[in-house]
Structure formats: C-alpha cells, structure tokens
Amino acid sequence: MEILVFGAGSLGSLVGGLLARVHDVTLVGRDPHVSRVRVDGLSVTGAETARTAPDAVTDGEGRAADVAVVTVKSFDTAAAAETLATGSYDAVLSLQNGLTEETLASRLDATVLAGTATYGARLREPGRVECTGVGRVVLGARAGGTDPAAERVGKAFRDAGLRTLVATDMPRRRWRKLAVNAGINAVTALARVENGALADGPASEVAHRAAREAVRVARAEGVRLTYRGARAAVDEVVSDTAANRSSMLQDVDSGRRTEVEAIHGEVVARADRHGIDAPTNRTLADLLRAWEAGRGVR
Ligand SMILES: NC(=O)C1=CN([C@@H]2O[C@H](COP(=O)(O)OP(=O)(O)OC[C@H]3O[C@@H](n4cnc5c(N)ncnc54)[C@H](O)[C@@H]3O)[C@@H](O)[C@H]2O)C=CC1
Ligand SMILES: CC(C)(CO)C(=O)C(=O)O
C-alpha cells in the first residue's frame, strides 16, 4: 500500500517507520529529521525495533497515496488539511489526540477515518525515534459502523506488525480517550507529576472530575459513555502508564505549546454549546493558557 504520514515527529516517525517494513511510505516532516532520514534511513529503537528507508519530504503539497495518516499536533490540523486537500488520497486517518477528524472532514473530499494510538513515541534525534511503549492502534469509520477503507487500512497496519483493531464504535472510543486525556493531561502538566501520581489523593479527585465532565458532554452529544466506565478507564491508564510523563507534561517540560485547546478547551466549548457546566476543565484550561501566554508559546 502507498502510505503518506503527515507529521513525521514522534508518533508519525514510529508508525511510519514500522509501516515502511512492508509498505511504500512517505514521511512529511521537517528538517533536520527529514534530511537525515533521506540520507541514513529511519531507525526505530526501544520497545519496537526497525531500520527502514521511507521516502521523506518537507513539502506535502500535491501528493498522492492510498492513505494519508495524520500525526501533526492537534493545533496544526487545519493547516495539514489545507495541504492534504491539494493531493489525492482514498482515505485519511487521524491518530491524533482530540476530536480532529471533524476538522479534516470539513476540508477534505477523501473518506476520513477516526483512530486512536496508545503506542508511546519520542523522537530522540534526527533519524531516530524511540518506541517508549507498545500499545495499540484502533481505527474505524468516523461515525461508527463498518467501512471497507477501515478494513483495508487496518490490514495494512497489521501486515506491518502494528497491533491494530478495526472497531465499529469509534465515536465512543474517541470520546473515552478524550475523557482520559481530560482527566490526566492538564493535571499531570500543572502538578508536574507522572501519571502514577493520580492513583489517589487530591490530584486523583481533580482528574476524575475532569473526566466526568467530558462524559457529560459526550452524553449530551448522543455518545453512550458511562461515568463509571470513564472513571475506570482513567484508573486503568494511570495504572498502566504510571511511569509516563504525559504528552502535556512533556510539552510543559520543554516549554512547548500544549494541546490544551483540543482537550480541555474542546470539552469546555462543547459544554457551553449544550448549556452544561464544566468548571474543572475550564479552570485547567485557563491555567494552561496562562502558562502558555507567560512562555510566549500561544
Ligand atoms: N508521541 C506519542 O507517544 C503519542 C502522540 N499522540 C498524538 O499524536 C499527535 C502527534 O504527537 P507527537 O508525534 O508527539 O508530536 P510531534 O510534535 O513530535 O510531531 C508532530 C510533527 O509534525 C510536524 N509538522 C506539523 N505540521 C507540519 C507540516 N505542515 N509539514 C510538515 N511537518 C509538519 C512537526 O514539525 C512535528 O515534527 C498528537 O495529537 C498527540 O497527542 C497520540 C498517542 C501517542
Ligand atoms: C493516555 C495518555 C494520558 C498517556 O500518557 C496520553 O494520551 C498522553 O499522555 O497524551
């Protein structure tokens, strides 16, 4: 299969590097990573290992592939979609955090598939990405149900050795992941603690309240999630990833812009639309916005 990975940072390089074991992969990213991959190939180290030679480019305009996998940060989604719209793809799959498929679908003619990834990835140096945890990719039709494109892409991922599930309930899975991120990300970033610190104590209470608010909004949107299920999902991720520094904590550690708008900001914006209160997410979002403004990364 011909696969374009748009956003060859940490996750995109890991997924693209593994897919390139059996597929014709092009990474769209930035220098110096792209130049290094072109000269020396891409090395995947850590929990997964591979040495592959995908094509790598900095200009994503006017390209064509069977599928484009989008792995830019959520705040770069609209710009990525504008570029993808100049090319030709049968399907576009998002593996990002947040509900970014809506942004992609509103700008693209191609079938947009929803996805989640629980693999951990960190770009260690140009040309080398570390797999910090073997997770799973779950993908499927954006509105739920079956889609032949999802089956084809799922098979292509599995053929390359990526643990992949094709699911028929993606709206519920997307919202459950958003509820988990709403629970964990800002709390760990602001308290400067690893995920495991949310196992009990006051930070755990804040995390559960934030996840509960996300579930309330999901239910207002007709997505069947239970409060107990989301609480259990937060606890399970906290336990499974106890030693992780969440992606938002890593962004704060590095003084980078965070995905606050796609996670807590999104929960608040949708809560407002439904006339629901989301005070915990509102407070967490405002604190992160204040931190970003202070760092000059907003
Ligand atoms: N890193 C991880 O372990 C995981 C990340 N995710 C999600 O995946 C998404 C990506 O995360 P990361 O890979 O960590 O971010 P990242 O910042 O490492 O990678 C994104 C890359 O996209 C590139 N990019 C953005 N716009 C571009 C453009 N127009 N042209 C070329 N390159 C462009 C950036 O330069 C950057 O290298 C986020 O939504 C994140 O929440 C989800 C699960 C795990
Ligand atoms: C699931 C979790 C919270 C794992 O750290 C994550 O997705 C993130 O850090 O963004």
Side-chain angles (χ1 to χ4, degrees):
M1 189 177 257
E2 286 185 25
I3 302 173
L4 180 117
V5 177
F6 199 102
S10 298
L11 184 66
S13 297
L14 173 63
V15 169
L18 298 180
L19 287 170
R21 296 199 277 216
V22 294
H23 300 292
D24 181 354
V25 172
T26 299
L27 304 179
V28 180
R30 295 202 165 121
D31 279 332
H33 182 51
V34 159
S35 303
R36 181 62 62 83
V37 171
R38 284 163 81 149
V39 173
D40 293 334
L42 176 63
S43 141
V44 177
T45 57
E48 285 276 6
T49 53
R51 175 127 206 113
T52 53
D55 195 4
V57 298
T58 52
D59 181 5
E61 297 265 335
R63 302 199 172 258
D66 297 309
V67 59
V69 181
V70 181
T71 52
V72 296
K73 282 274 171 65
S74 51
F75 45 78
D76 284 325
T77 308
E82 301 300 336
T83 304
L84 286 167
T86 64
S88 166
Y89 308 96
D90 295 339
V92 174
L93 166 68
S94 165
L95 293 181
Q96 304 159 277
N97 277 343
L99 305 172
T100 56
E101 294 86 357
E102 292 177 19
T103 305
L104 294 169
S106 67
R107 290 166 168 83
L108 296 170
D109 291 333
T111 300
V112 175
L113 300 172
T116 61
T118 53
Y119 276 85
R122 191 89 83 95
L123 194 62
R124 286 292 180 191
E125 58 188 315
R128 182 168 76 89
V129 62
E130 181 184 349
C131 177
T132 54
V134 176
R136 191 167 67 160
V137 170
V138 181
L139 64 93
R142 195 162 55 92
T146 58
D147 187 321
E151 295 296 339
R152 280 197 301 276
V153 175
K155 180 176 181 314
F157 272 54
R158 282 194 296 267
D159 287 349
L162 279 139
R163 292 184 60 217
T164 306
L165 175 75
V166 177
T168 54
D169 60 344
M170 285 313 293
R172 207 170 63 81
R173 288 174 185 271
R174 295 298 291 150
W175 270 100
R176 192 171 54 195
K177 177 102 197 281
L178 186 64
V180 167
N181 289 131
I184 296 176
N185 287 38
V187 177
T188 50
L190 291 166
R192 305 283 207 280
V193 291
E194 291 168 353
N195 293 355
L198 307 192
D200 48 36
S204 165
E205 278 315 304
V206 181
H208 285 135
R209 278 204 299 275
R212 188 181 169 81
E213 289 173 6
V215 171
R216 204 159 164 226
V217 176
R219 288 164 70 119
E221 304 222 336
V223 175
R224 286 168 48 190
L225 273 188
T226 64
Y227 296 116
R228 197 186 298 171
R231 187 184 176 95
V234 170
D235 291 343
E236 189 183 311
V237 173
V238 163
S239 159
D240 288 353
T241 64
N244 264 31
R245 294 176 80 73
S246 76
S247 57
M248 202 170 274
L249 174 56
Q250 288 178 41
D251 289 338
V252 166
D253 282 343
S254 311
R256 289 189 305 246
R257 185 174 176 186
T258 72
E259 294 190 300
V260 58
E261 299 305 340
I263 298 174
H264 309 278
E266 190 70 32
V267 171
V268 172
R270 289 182 192 235
D272 285 347
R273 254 180 263 149
H274 293 287
I276 292 171
D277 246 10
T280 306
N281 280 279
R282 193 180 298 280
T283 302
L284 293 169
D286 282 344
L287 290 173
L288 274 155
R289 288 169 183 145
W291 176 83
E292 289 187 347
R295 294 288 305 201
V297 292
R298 267 198 92 69

